């Protein structure tokens, strides 16, 4: 592992993520007039169904699923060989999450797409006027959960190429981010297209970073 490369990669990712965060905290809130002008009919057919959902319990479920994914790679420490390379694997994991975070933070910072619940007439206007209401594009929960779970699956496979558990590990890595995304959909937080983008972006980060560090 080249320390200079890791420093540059990690530093750049954190810098981009912080830039996106600063854009987020300074975003303009929607006015009542702007909210009243929003029409579900202007949303493409693929995404339109999301406006019918709004659920605090689904939002909480997505938070719990995300935390499960974030901590899932620590289960790899059961493996002695992985544990003996915990520093390298830890740096890789940080990079995967940092790059995943940088992607959606920057996207949310520059984009101001209203979340699906903003179109829902049953949701209080006070909720729709919060700054977070325009952070729909794209799903950070899905991206981070996918990055974490696919990272764990990739590292496990790298150290255990002949394990009979590989299929189970990859199925789990695929399923939990899907459940996270579905919870965000039911919570009225994201449109399906944004969940797909988040899933693909997180998967790319989770798999590519360990791949780039594999010994030639």
């Amino acid at each position: 592992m080249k320390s200079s490369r890791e420093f540059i990669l990690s530093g750049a990712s954190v810098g981009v993520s912080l830039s996106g965060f600063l854009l987020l905290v300074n975003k303009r809130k929607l006015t009542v007039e702007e909210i009243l002008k929003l029409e579900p009919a202007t949303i493409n057919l693929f995404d339109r169904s999301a406006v019918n959902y709004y659920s605090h319990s689904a939002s909480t479920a997505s938070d719990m699923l995300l935390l499960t994914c974030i901590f899932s790679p620590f289960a790899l420490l059961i493996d002695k060989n992985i544990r003996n390379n915990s520093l390298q694997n830890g740096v890789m994991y940080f990079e995967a999450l940092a790059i995943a975070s940088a992607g959606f933070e920057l996207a949310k910072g520059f984009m101001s797409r209203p979340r699906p619940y903003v179109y829902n007439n049953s949701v209080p206007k006070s909720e729709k006027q919060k700054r977070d209401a325009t952070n729909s594009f794209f799903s950070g929960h899905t991206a981070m959960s996918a990055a974490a779970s696919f990272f764990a699956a990739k590292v496990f496979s790298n150290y255990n190429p002949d394990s009979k558990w590989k299929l189970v590990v990859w199925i789990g890595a695929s399923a939990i981010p899907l459940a996270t995304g579905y919870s965000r959909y039911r919570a009225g937080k994201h449109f399906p297209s944004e969940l797909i983008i988040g899933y693909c972006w997180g998967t790319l980060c989770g798999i590519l970073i360990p791949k780039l560090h594999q010994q030639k």
Side-chain angles (χ1 to χ4, degrees):
M1 179 178 285
K2 298 179 180 180
S3 58
S4 58
R5 181 187 65 180
E6 310 310 325
F7 179 79
I8 293 172
L9 184 59
S10 299
S13 301
V14 171
V16 172
S17 186
L18 288 175
S19 298
F21 176 77
L22 290 175
L23 289 172
L24 284 176
V25 298
N26 289 293
K27 285 179 74 172
R28 185 180 65 84
K29 300 177 183 179
L30 292 171
T31 64
V32 174
E33 291 75 15
E34 289 172 326
I35 293 170
L36 292 174
K37 289 179 181 178
L38 294 175
E39 291 289 341
T42 62
I43 303 169
N44 67 81
L45 287 174
F46 182 73
D47 283 336
R48 195 176 300 169
S49 63
V51 305
N52 299 316
Y53 298 102
Y54 181 70
S55 169
H56 289 293
S57 59
S59 181
T60 300
S62 70
D63 292 340
M64 298 304 295
L65 287 166
L66 173 59
L67 285 175
T68 299
C69 288
I70 293 295
F71 285 104
S72 63
F74 290 96
L76 297 172
L77 296 176
I78 297 173
D79 187 301
K80 182 179 179 181
N81 292 326
I82 297 177
R83 189 166 62 248
N84 288 339
N85 290 287
S86 57
L87 177 59
Q88 176 180 341
N89 291 320
V91 170
M92 288 193 301
Y93 185 46
F94 176 80
E95 290 175 354
L97 293 186
I99 294 172
S101 175
F104 73 78
E105 291 279 6
L106 201 61
K108 287 177 183 287
F110 279 112
M111 300 287 286
S112 292
R113 189 183 191 187
R115 292 188 185 273
Y117 68 75
V118 180
Y119 294 83
N120 192 322
N121 291 329
S122 65
V123 178
K125 285 188 175 62
S126 58
E127 287 295 312
K128 299 178 181 182
Q129 287 185 284
K130 291 182 178 179
R131 189 169 281 109
D132 182 64
T134 59
N135 293 343
S136 193
F137 186 85
F138 54 90
S139 176
H141 274 65
T142 309
M144 292 295 277
S145 61
S149 60
F150 279 102
F151 174 88
K154 178 60 176 171
V155 171
F156 176 84
S157 297
N158 287 348
Y159 281 87
N160 303 278
D162 301 316
S163 174
K164 63 181 181 181
W165 293 101
K166 278 179 61 176
L167 180 59
V168 174
V169 169
W170 282 100
I171 290 175
S174 304
I176 301 179
L178 283 174
T180 305
Y182 181 70
S183 296
R184 299 300 283 174
Y185 171 75
R186 296 289 301 203
K189 299 288 188 178
H190 292 289
F191 296 98
S193 61
E194 298 163 346
L195 299 171
I196 293 172
I197 293 171
Y199 191 95
C200 292
W201 173 244
T203 300
L204 179 66
C205 294
I207 293 177
L208 190 59
I209 292 301
K211 180 68 176 178
L212 291 175
H213 287 80
Q214 282 182 253
Q215 295 294 325
K216 302 296 184 181

